Amino acid sequence: MKRAVISGGAGGLGRALSDGLQARGWHVVLLDRDISGVEISEMQQAIQCDLTDPEQLTAACAAAVGPNGVDLAIYNAGITQIGLFADSDAASHRQVFEINYFAAVNMARALLAPVRQARGAHLAISSVAGFAPLYSRTSYAASKHALEGFFKSLRSEERAHGVRVQIAAPSFVATNLGNAQAQPDGIARPGSATDGMDYMTPEAAAATILHGLDRGRDMIPVGRVARLAWWINRLSPGLYQRLMERKIGRG
């Protein structure tokens, strides 16, 4: 039985990805800080873990590894920060990076050998903000750009070991609309932004991601907005920025 490990697995997209993999006969291990609402079964287990604590994360990853390694590591955990850079502080910027970037890097380090053992795949959940600018999301966009840079570089290193490294970039996934749990510094739960467009359900996003995974795509734009953003930004970054400012920044 193939085995997947998903960080941020208790959230909407994490659960949808888990459901999709279980439907294919996979065993899935969810890593998250709060796993109280996760259903445990023969196909799904959950490990409570503060992903920003390297020791906890290393121990959780070790517990998640099966006898044949790990076939798929999904780096899904993340937070957002919505607000102008002029109104933000350094501490909140670092917090975004701790969860969105450093937790993923530490998890990749812990699972490097198990994924090699299975000749499996690393799948990073990025965002449109990982390859293009996004208004009022300076720290979030920076963390996702860093995430993509890391995994794109790791791809070249791991290819020799028979390991694939893929990146999925959703646009707006409605995982926490009405449940932002926003803090005064603008940090909020992912999928809670109210200034987005063409929201996808977690289930639709997961189906697109897993389809791209099956096809071995290095880059998986998820949703109509993401696909358009990918092509427009590649062909004309200036045009993309103007369109983004008009739609998101109301510029």
Side-chain angles (χ1 to χ4, degrees):
M1 182 182 294
K2 290 189 175 182
R3 176 174 292 251
V5 180
I6 307 177
S7 70
L13 183 55
R15 292 194 192 199
L17 288 165
S18 178
D19 289 344
L21 289 168
Q22 288 179 70
R24 300 169 176 215
W26 287 56
H27 181 85
V28 184
V29 184
L30 308 181
L31 308 182
D32 215 318
R33 184 171 58 180
D34 181 3
I35 59 173
S36 58
V38 175
E39 181 179 348
I40 306 301
S41 68
E42 292 184 3
M43 303 287 287
Q44 178 173 273
Q45 68 183 100
I47 300 174
Q48 192 279 329
C49 172
D50 180 349
L51 298 167
T52 65
D53 184 319
E55 291 186 0
Q56 284 191 37
L57 180 56
T58 299
C61 288
V65 175
N68 298 314
V70 172
D71 297 278
L72 177 62
I74 302 182
Y75 306 86
N76 172 65
I79 58 173
T80 190
Q81 184 181 35
I82 304 173
L84 300 177
F85 175 69
D87 300 327
S88 68
D89 58 24
S92 60
H93 197 103
R94 288 182 182 276
Q95 184 180 352
V96 173
F97 264 78
E98 286 293 339
I99 297 173
N100 292 6
Y101 176 74
F102 286 110
V105 171
N106 290 334
M107 178 174 161
R109 192 183 307 280
L111 294 179
L112 200 67
V115 174
R116 286 180 178 180
Q117 178 186 352
R119 296 176 71 86
H122 299 274
L123 173 61
I125 306 300
S126 181
S127 163
V128 169
F131 60 78
L134 188 57
Y135 189 86
S136 291
R137 310 290 201 289
T138 49
S139 61
Y140 178 74
S143 69
K144 291 298 188 178
H145 272 68
L147 186 77
E148 288 201 15
F150 172 80
F151 280 102
K152 286 176 182 177
S153 300
L154 185 67
R155 178 183 297 145
S156 300
E157 298 179 16
E158 293 304 293
R159 184 175 288 118
H161 300 277
V163 171
R164 290 178 291 119
V165 178
Q166 297 166 260
I167 298 170
S171 48
F172 295 96
V173 182
T175 52
N176 285 298
L177 286 180
N179 186 33
Q181 298 182 19
Q183 301 174 20
D185 56 13
I187 288 179
R189 301 188 69 181
S192 62
T194 58
D195 58 354
M197 62 192 78
D198 287 349
Y199 285 92
M200 300 180 70
T201 65
E203 292 74 20
T208 299
I209 291 169
L210 295 178
H211 178 68
L213 183 75
D214 290 340
R215 300 193 65 178
R217 291 177 176 170
D218 287 345
M219 185 66 178
I220 309 167
V222 182
R224 185 182 72 88
V225 171
R227 291 192 298 272
L228 287 172
W230 171 252
W231 285 110
I232 294 172
N233 187 64
R234 290 189 69 183
L235 295 171
S236 178
L239 174 61
Y240 174 84
Q241 184 130 17
R242 290 193 296 274
L243 291 172
M244 180 275 297
E245 290 173 356
R246 186 180 307 156
K247 293 291 186 181
I248 306 297
R250 305 291 186 257

